[in-house]
Amino acid sequence: AQSVTQLGSHVSVSEGALVLLRCNYSSSVPPYLFWYVQYPNQGLQLLLKYTTGATLVKGINGFEAEFKKSETSFHLTKPSAHMSDAAEYFCAVSPRGGKLQFGAGTQVVVTP
Amino acid sequence: DTGVSQDPRHKITKRGQNVTFRCDPISEHNRLYWYRQTLGQGPEFLTYFQNEAQLEKSRLLSDRFSAERPKGSFSTLEIQRTEQGDSAMYLCASSDPGATNEKLFFGSGTQLSVL
C-alpha cells in the first residue's frame, strides 16, 4: 500500500524567493517518486522523477527534489520563484512504475 | 502533435443522463490510464489498460462506470445515470511500459458538470 502526504494546500512566495513544497510518502516497496505541475485548465506535466541512483534529482524549470529514505520525504525546491511558477503541484508515488498515487496537491501563489 | 488528446474538453449534463468521453493516447503507448480529479484533490486512479485488456479497476469505479479500449488504441469512459457527485475532471494518461523509466503523459482532461 502506498500513500502521499503534501504538507500545506496553499503556499505563497515572493518573486525571487525560495520555493519549498513538502511531500512525505509511505510505500511497502522502494518507490518511484514524482512531482507534477498543473496549470489552470491543463493536464499534468512531469517536473521530475526519482527511480534509483542519485537522490538529488533535477527537473525542468529550475526545480529539483531530494529523496530522503530515512525521512520518507521527497521535497521539491526552486531557489528563486518566478511568476510563471504559479500553479498547482502534485507529488506522486508508484511501485516501480505505472499506476500513480497522488497527493492532494499544493497551490503555489507567487507575489510580486 | 503526438500528445494525449481527450474529447470533449467540457461536458455539461443533467442528472440521470449518460455521458461518454474519449481518449486518444500517444500512438506507440500501449498502456492507458483513467483518473478522476475533484476540486482541491489530487487525481485518483480509476482504471488502466494494457493494449485492449483492462488490467485493474479501482473500487471508485462503480457499476455505472465502464471503460473500453476495443482495439488497443483509443479508449472510452462511459458514465451511466450520472449523479452530481460525478462532477469532476476526468484525466487520461498513456505510457510505454517498455521504455526505460516509464512515465505517464497526461491529456488536458474532460471537465464534467452534472446539474
Side-chain angles (χ1 to χ4, degrees), chain A residues 38 41 43 49 98-100, chain B residues 9 33 35 37 56 101-102:
Chain A
Q38 187 176 35
N41 300 316
K49 66 186 287 186
K99 184 179 77 173
L100 296 171
Chain B
R9 290 294 307 274
Y33 300 80
Y35 284 81
Q37 184 178 19
E56 186 176 348
N101 296 331
E102 176 191 3

Side-chain angles (χ1 to χ4, degrees), chain B residues 3 8 11 16 28 38 40 47 61 68 79 83 101 103:
Chain B
K11 178 69 176 180
E28 61 268 24
T38 53
T47 187
L61 213 64
E68 295 182 344
I79 309 174
E83 302 173 356
N101 296 331
K103 76 177 185 182

Side-chain angles (χ1 to χ4, degrees), chain A residues 6 19 21 34-49 59-63 76 78 82-92 100 102 105-108 110, chain B residues 37 43 91 104-108:
Chain A
Q6 291 184 239
V19 180
L21 305 182
F34 306 78
W35 276 99
Y36 281 83
V37 61
Q38 187 176 35
Y39 298 99
N41 300 316
Q42 294 188 26
L44 287 86
Q45 181 182 6
L46 180 66
L47 278 177
L48 49 80
K49 66 186 287 186
I60 62 172
N61 302 340
F63 284 94
L76 181 72
K78 181 174 180 177
H82 191 271
M83 298 299 289
S84 61
D85 295 325
E88 188 148 26
Y89 293 78
F90 294 95
C91 182
L100 296 171
F102 286 89
T106 298
Q107 184 71 45
V108 172
V110 183
Chain B
Q37 184 178 19
L91 294 166
L104 271 63
F105 292 82
F106 283 84
S108 298

